[in-house]
Amino acid sequence: MRLGEIAVDVTPLRANRDFRLLFTATALSMLGTALTSVAASIQVYDLGNSSLHVGLVNLVIGVSLCVGLLAGGVLADRTDRRRLILATRAGSAVVVLALAGNALAPEPQLWFVYLAAIAAGIAGGLGAPALMAVTPALAGREHLAAAGALLTLTTQFGAMVGPSLAGLIAAGPGVAVCYLIDAAGFVLGAALLWRLPHLHPRPDEEDADTDHAAAQHPVRAILDGLRHVRANRVIRGLMLVDLAAVVLAMPYALFPEMGNEVFDGGPTAVGLLYTAPAVGAFLGALASGWIGRVRRPGMTLIVVAALWGAAIAAFGLSRHLWLGLLLLALAGGADTISEILRRALLQHHTPDRLQGRVGSLWLAQATAGPATGNALSGGVARLLGPGTTLVAGGVACVAAVLAVAGALPALRATGPTSAPIADETPTAGPARTPEAPDRVPAADRTPTDSPAGPPTTNTTTTKG
């Protein structure tokens, strides 16, 4: 395999001006989100003198984010997605400007940060499904894997550069500058996205009554998206695979204990442990050019998800810091490949009229799943210790992924994401019974045609 076939595929950037605008705006957003996330944590700890407040602010923003995602998925499928993206980015910019004003006040108020966290979560959640939904239209369905890899690069770049930069700025000019930089990024990104064309959802032929669809009750609209997830065995499988990875084998809550007690490296070791997965993920995205040419993406997803679990289990057994960092980098690389494949398969197997709602369900799982996994690993570690917890979680992850693969052969058999596919899910009525066959062969298909995160959290699907 030549180097050009391994390096990240930049075809969507080279061929499509609109995707270049989306990519640049997303890169600015991810860097600003990382800046504000760290700055807010620092400020909350200073104001509340307790890590409890840091955790509570993240809990508040996580809950409000999930609410925003579900509502945003419905809006993304019944309105101009470009207008929704611009409106929510304007709202996010107002929130971080308010945070900057609070930080610059003579006596910054902790309660105001909590209030801003709620507003930030709702604004970010409302806009994220629309951002995700426009990717197939802007990049082209034949380039979904390449587009996902490029957008993942922006996330991992922000995760690597943002925290360190935020620490330097917070120690110098202060956290308010981090907020102001984030606000400037939202404004500049909005100026770029303003140049996009109007992006209305395209109804299928069977969904010709668009007025009725627009008047559909929001809860029923969300259930339509859930019905599609349940009926399409490929999407159901990839979401179950991801859930197994983030709930059973989530190591981040144990990094402080591993760094201090196992590796005896203090805060420096802890910082390296948090950095290693992002470095591996960034390198994995850089070397993702081959993913778009995979003939069995579902089978590849199963392999890399199992590799994530195996790497986490091996990390739990490691007693040398260098080996632990290497294993975490391997896990991060496997996670990035998994994310690219999951995003491409999800968007490929979802018709345009459902992209917002199905994407919002995926993003909501990506928000709640890691939080649940970290809480679970932290609780189990109190009984078994961090190393044993990681080994058990990694092994359980591998077993769960293999169980899903065995139960859902459609995921193993799904073909390239560049092949056309038909909508498998009705817009109303009961979900398809389990006995109904999946339409997997590409020959039977017909063509159908991340994210603005809140300023104090990361809404990407990357684990952590």
Side-chain angles (χ1 to χ4, degrees):
M1 184 178 291
R2 297 189 302 271
L3 179 61
E5 296 175 335
I6 298 176
V8 62
D9 185 359
V10 297
T11 300
L13 288 176
R14 186 175 61 249
N16 194 304
R17 184 211 69 154
D18 291 338
F19 183 78
R20 288 196 296 271
L21 296 174
L22 176 66
F23 174 84
T24 305
T26 302
L28 291 170
S29 175
M30 290 299 99
L31 180 59
T33 295
L35 285 172
T36 296
S37 178
V38 174
S41 296
I42 293 172
Q43 184 186 24
V44 168
Y45 185 79
D46 289 342
L47 294 175
N49 295 315
S50 172
S51 296
L52 175 62
H53 282 292
V54 178
L56 288 176
V57 167
N58 280 279
L59 175 63
V60 166
I61 204 169
V63 172
S64 58
L65 175 63
C66 287
V67 173
L69 284 171
L70 295 177
V74 175
L75 291 174
D77 286 339
R78 61 172 56 177
T79 189
D80 181 5
R81 290 164 178 168
R82 168 184 173 272
R83 182 179 301 173
L84 179 59
I85 292 169
L86 292 173
T88 54
R89 280 181 169 260
S92 296
V94 170
V95 172
V96 290
L97 283 174
L99 282 169
N102 180 58
L104 292 171
E107 294 184 6
Q109 299 297 313
L110 180 59
W111 65 265
F112 188 86
V113 180
Y114 276 95
L115 186 64
I118 296 174
I122 293 175
L126 287 173
L131 269 172
M132 185 173 175
V134 301
T135 302
L138 298 182
R141 284 185 172 266
E142 69 276 16
H143 299 306
L144 285 176
L150 290 167
L151 293 174
T152 299
L153 273 176
T154 66
T155 301
Q156 299 307 329
F157 178 77
M160 288 193 305
V161 175
S164 298
L165 184 59
L168 291 174
I169 294 173
V175 296
V177 175
C178 293
Y179 298 143
L180 291 173
I181 293 174
D182 192 14
F186 275 117
V187 173
L188 182 55
L192 293 171
L193 296 174
W194 186 273
R195 302 172 62 190
L196 292 177
H198 291 284
L199 295 164
H200 293 278
R202 286 185 287 179
D204 298 335
E205 291 181 2
E206 66 188 49
D207 199 26
D209 188 0
T210 55
D211 290 337
H212 174 73
Q216 188 180 32
H217 192 280
V219 174
R220 186 176 179 84
I222 294 172
L223 291 177
D224 276 351
L226 184 60
R227 184 179 297 114
H228 180 75
V229 171
R230 291 180 57 193
N232 188 298
R233 298 182 187 182
V234 174
I235 295 180
R236 193 196 327 162
L238 67 89
M239 294 188 75
L240 287 174
V241 164
D242 182 54
L243 196 63
V246 299
V247 172
L248 299 177
M250 185 53 57
Y252 292 87
L254 304 184
F255 284 171
E257 188 172 358
M258 289 290 291
N260 286 294
E261 304 298 330
V262 177
F263 299 120
D264 196 25
T268 301
V270 174
L272 290 173
L273 292 177
Y274 278 108
T275 301
V279 172
F282 185 77
L283 294 176
L286 281 178
S288 63
W290 56 275
I291 297 178
R293 294 185 292 275
V294 170
R295 299 186 62 84
R296 300 281 296 277
M299 195 66 197
T300 306
L301 172 63
I302 293 165
V303 171
V304 294
L307 179 59
W308 160 271
I312 295 302
F315 170 66
L317 294 172
S318 63
R319 292 299 177 267
H320 300 286
L321 181 59
W322 67 267
L323 179 58
L325 296 176
L326 184 62
L327 289 168
L328 288 176
L330 176 63
D335 180 43
T336 285
I337 297 170
S338 172
E339 179 184 345
I340 294 169
L341 287 167
R342 282 183 281 116
R343 178 190 289 265
L345 286 169
L346 184 86
Q347 293 180 325
H348 181 63
H349 286 265
T350 302
D352 191 72
R353 63 181 171 81
L354 288 171
Q355 285 285 345
R357 282 165 283 176
V358 173
S360 72
L361 293 171
W362 184 54
L363 291 169
Q365 175 178 292
T367 300
T372 302
N374 278 314
L376 178 63
S377 62
V380 174
R382 292 176 64 89
L383 301 175
L384 303 180
T388 304
T389 298
L390 290 167
V391 173
V395 172
C397 170
V398 174
V401 168
L402 295 180
V404 172
L408 296 172
L411 179 63
R412 304 196 309 269
T414 186
T417 55
S418 57
I421 188 169
D423 178 13
E424 299 181 6
T425 308
T427 57
R432 196 177 47 176
T433 60
E435 293 76 19
D438 284 332
R439 293 180 290 184
V440 174
D444 295 335
R445 298 171 184 155
T446 56
T448 60
D449 265 76
S450 150
T456 54
T457 192
N458 191 337
T459 63
T460 68
T461 58
T462 303
K463 300 172 181 63

